[in-house]
Amino acid sequence: MCLLRINMAAPSSRSGLLWTLLSRCRTPGPGRTGTGPGRCLSSLPPPPLPPPGTWSSELSRLPHRDLYRLSVTDPDRFWGSAAADRLCWVEPYQQVRDCELSSGRISWFLGGKLNVSVNCLDVHVEKHPDRVALIWERDEPGTEVKVTYRELLETTCRLANTLKSHGVHKGDTVAIYMPVSPIAVAAMLACARIGAVHTVVFAGFSSEALAGRIQDAQCKAVLTCNQGVRGGRLMDLKSTVDAAVKSCPSVQHVFVSQRTDSPTAMGALDVPLEEVMSSQPAICPAEPLDSEDILFLLYTSGSTGKPKGIVHTQAGYLLYASMTHQLVFDHRDGDVFGCMADIGWITGHSYVVYGPLSNGATSVLFESTPVYPNPGRYWETVQRLRISQFYGAPTALRLLLKYDDSWVKKFDRSSLRTLGSVGEPINHEAWHWFHSVVGEGRCPLVDTWWQTETGGVCIAPRPAEKGAPILPAMAMRPFFGIQPVLMDDKGEPISGVSVGGALCISQPWPGMARSIYGDHQRFVDAYFKPYPGFYFSGDGAYRSEDGYYQITGRMDDVINVSGHRLGTAEIEDALDEHPAVPETAVIGIQHDIKGEVPFAFVVLKDGLHDDPLVILQQLRDLVAAKIAKYAVPEHFLVVKRLPKTRSGKIMRRILRKVAMETTGDLGDVSTLDDPSVVKEIVEAHEQYRKQREEEEEKKK
Ligand code: WT7
């Protein structure tokens, strides 16, 4: 166990597999006493714990398979050892876990105190202050900015002091509405440093969506930029925040960072971030936090209209993000880790910020798009920054593989060692293109399955026994401590192979969500009630002949548009606000690049005089204003009524078949209130399809 300010000699023998797998202990250098940024932690007594590596060396002879078995049969020993060895604690934990899944009680490393920002910054500054922590790959190629660990710590401290001097303290919530950038990362870490809870809101969400999240989390402050820059275009972020905070009385300050030179009108709440930060000290004591204090909230879609604030806490989340980052991607010292995600999503939290920084990695912050200024952008960036791990989304790969391979091949990709895919199922074509064209067949490609709720990767091909195969387009193997279970319709576990069912996890793991902010009952109902005693993911999966897992997709009314999760109920709620629309039903249909797109069936009021085309445009605008542009349905079909059962439930299965043009087999329609509705909708769709074809023709 590593404790800042406590000078412990490194154990003499730390070789062996378990050590390599579990240990990343960063003891401070010899002779280091109460100076420097971590000074606040110096007065604490040494812990009554065994020296680091004790358990590790005992277990070091285990082959991978036995290690996995141990992680599920003796999680206390496995995770306890990992937490002691890898994290830097202010006070050691007393108990590894206290969990009861059926009631949603999940606690890890009880009694321990630590600070996540110390684990991501100070421990590295002690050892290699000038190592690059972040490479900000800005929108214009060739204008990247490098930030060392020392610089990031200083910026984080100045920002933390700024927050404190404006009344933000431990336990307060802070919204971050910023695109991926060093200042946004510093904002997350500054919150972590003082014990404030951050909630990053993707900077593509509308002002109403932002306001809803700020209200739910009762944020005291918002951090934003004047503008965002992406794909050569500017986005006004400050004006979106201005509109949002009008309905958010909890907000006392809006901190505005200047991403561009464009001047910003500053109102009564606004604080110019860089200006105020520059006069703050570059040292800020780190608040010792309880393992189970909240680190962040991240809002995500569920099957109701209201997004849920997923709660992640300190130690367990950090440990899990850190271990999965190292082991799934085979991260090694000196690597440049390139995760293309935005910090507004969980992937950005775990694999742009917390995982890589806790491991002392160099992490890339990608501000641009895969096609700006041309479809070679990713690979030109790989060449210029010497990226070792490239972690991206299938939707981007599907877009890129449509262009000539020369866009890939003209750039040197020899720095690449591991390729990763996340966010949605990766189809075979995209997998093979990524593996053989981008990776030249020499880089392991890991399809990683996980969720906002799981904190980090749960199923992925690596780690595995040396030389173990990776099969295309499959997440394959559970990570340490993860025990997947497939359930049948009756809620019984399905044994054997070549079977499919509802994907559950039978044991708690340190990275899992702890609650839904302000609504623990919803947390229990959504994840632990469907299969009592198990965590239910909402996804379906298939266990292959070889016992590997393949994700088959969502089982609820959640769809996945370009890797972004959306509840169809959220879109319906937005559409239903239109006075001319008494009823709607939204489903997801397949799209060759975006994966899925929303398809809206709308019923219009009788006797309307307005042009339906005008109403449809108003509906598009409504969704963009209430949620975000990416949520706007690709298709609208006006129908007279929706297919309903006698109890009034909309039969979405039928709508899906109509939209996918697979009405040959409609299944059982006997429970429909009036089966003639099907013919009506099929005809309306047929007309819509013809119309679209004609429009396409005209465009050509
Ligand atoms: C949902 C979670 C994981 C971080 C980004 C998305 C789908 C995610 C995969 C994959 C098939 C996947 C699932 C999951 N998903 N990764 N490798 N293969 N499906 O996080 O927004 O919480 O969405 O994304 O349906 O439930 P999220």
Side-chain angles (χ1 to χ4, degrees), residues 494-508:
I494 307 170
S495 56
V497 293
S498 305
V499 289
L503 176 60
C504 293
I505 300 175
S506 71
Q507 280 192 9

Side-chain angles (χ1 to χ4, degrees), residues 178 232 241 269 299 361 427 434 439 468 523 548 561 588 618 633:
M178 289 172 146
V241 173
L269 297 178
Y299 284 83
N427 50 314
F434 198 19
F523 180 66
Y548 298 132
V561 181
Q618 289 167 344

Side-chain angles (χ1 to χ4, degrees), residues 412-686:
D412 174 13
R413 284 116 48 233
S414 60
S415 59
L416 288 175
R417 199 172 61 245
T418 314
L419 303 174
S421 161
V422 65
E424 47 176 323
I426 181 167
N427 50 314
H428 280 263
E429 189 188 10
W431 196 97
H432 284 290
W433 182 81
F434 198 19
H435 185 251
S436 54
V437 179
V438 175
E440 293 166 318
R442 62 174 183 82
C443 305
L445 196 180
V446 292
D447 174 14
T448 62
W449 175 85
W450 58 295
Q451 312 176 292
T452 305
E453 295 87 339
T454 70
V457 173
C458 286
I459 307 183
R462 290 283 184 267
E465 218 72 69
K466 234 185 153 57
I470 293 183
L471 302 180
M474 245 197 179
M476 297 184 77
R477 305 180 176 92
F479 189 73
F480 292 119
I482 300 293
Q483 231 176 359
V485 174
L486 301 180
M487 297 289 185
D488 67 16
D489 295 345
K490 297 186 198 75
E492 295 295 326
I494 307 170
S495 56
V497 293
S498 305
V499 289
L503 176 60
C504 293
I505 300 175
S506 71
Q507 280 192 9
W509 65 100
M512 73 191 298
R514 302 297 195 257
S515 194
I516 290 175
Y517 195 63
D519 198 349
H520 193 71
Q521 193 54 47
R522 187 177 176 195
F523 180 66
V524 175
D525 291 348
Y527 304 107
F528 304 104
K529 259 227 179 102
Y531 302 95
F534 295 82
Y535 167 81
F536 174 47
S537 67
D539 282 325
Y542 180 77
R543 189 163 45 230
S544 74
E545 208 181 335
D546 309 312
Y548 298 132
Y549 290 89
Q550 178 151 39
I551 312 303
T552 48
R554 296 292 306 192
M555 299 178 75
D556 51 12
D557 293 324
V558 169
I559 61 172
N560 194 321
V561 181
S562 303
H564 302 327
R565 191 161 146 183
L566 257 179
T568 53
E570 276 174 86
I571 308 176
E572 288 166 7
D573 280 3
L575 297 173
D576 289 347
E577 299 233 339
H578 196 292
V581 177
E583 214 175 15
T584 61
V586 176
I587 54 151
I589 64 161
Q590 271 173 17
H591 184 276
D592 64 347
I593 290 174
K594 296 180 185 173
E596 270 182 302
V597 288
F599 189 125
F601 292 80
V602 291
V603 178
L604 297 183
K605 263 196 184 145
D606 275 344
L608 282 178
H609 300 299
D610 302 312
D611 179 354
L613 288 179
V614 173
I615 297 180
L616 293 187
Q617 190 50 47
Q618 289 167 344
L619 289 175
R620 284 189 190 94
D621 296 344
L622 248 180
V623 177
K626 297 229 154 253
I627 310 173
K629 283 210 184 91
Y630 78 87
V632 175
E634 178 108 348
H635 304 275
F636 281 92
L637 183 63
V638 177
V639 292
K640 289 206 193 78
R641 49 196 181 133
L642 296 168
K644 290 192 186 163
T645 61
R646 278 187 279 278
S647 58
K649 210 171 144 12
I650 297 171
M651 255 202 188
R652 285 158 193 281
R653 179 170 59 79
I654 292 188
L655 297 177
R656 267 183 220 113
K657 295 221 158 155
V658 173
M660 301 291 285
E661 296 168 23
T662 51
T663 43
D665 169 29
L666 276 178
D668 180 15
V669 292
S670 63
T671 54
L672 274 179
D673 184 39
D674 177 359
S676 71
V677 65
V678 177
K679 191 160 167 264
E680 215 172 271
I681 297 177
V682 169
E683 278 168 12
H685 184 264
E686 183 56 18

Side-chain angles (χ1 to χ4, degrees), residues 679-695:
K679 191 160 167 264
E680 215 172 271
I681 297 177
V682 169
E683 278 168 12
H685 184 264
E686 183 56 18
Q687 223 176 348
Y688 169 76
R689 197 180 57 83
K690 278 197 189 128
Q691 212 177 322
R692 269 183 73 101
E693 270 173 16
E694 279 165 26
E695 278 163 22

